[in-house]
Amino acid sequence: DMISAEKGNMFVVLPDDGEVLKIHGEMTGSIKDKVLYGAEANYYNYSLTRYDFPINRPDWDATLGLKYNLRNKILVGAEVMALGNRQLAFMSKSTFVKLPEMEPVHVNINLNAEYRYTRILSFWLKVNNIAFNRYYEYAFYPTQRFVCMVGLSYSL
């Protein structure tokens, strides 16, 4: 009997020995004085002892973003994040069950803004997944479709 989403909230640790090769690339810079760009990408290659594949882990991920700085007081930005294919799996009655289909590539679009009131106090807003896409990071655990966070930063 497979675990359904209604039974929920159960994670099991599945230990394994293995190696992870991670190739990371990153590039940042500015376009003129006020526009900053950033791009980063990761490629993962897993060599595992017990399992044939890494559970719930993508084979790659990437982020591309732009930020605009208005007089060092207001910063606004946008970014596109992508997760590669992932194999989702779960435990059912002490048996490891691999879902029949891979979780496909997922793309998120995020927006952010920051108002720097003083050098030590700023207020920020982050809006993630503005396309309202639903995807799974773990089997039967969907992510939030739309996330809005508001906060402040205070540093001495």
Side-chain angles (χ1 to χ4, degrees), residues 57-62 82-87 102-106:
R57 303 299 305 158
D59 50 2
W60 62 270
D61 58 45
L83 283 175
N85 295 323
R86 298 168 309 288
Q87 179 61 61
M102 296 276 287
E103 184 70 10
V105 172
H106 177 76

Side-chain angles (χ1 to χ4, degrees), residues 29 41 44 130:
Y44 307 96
I130 64 171

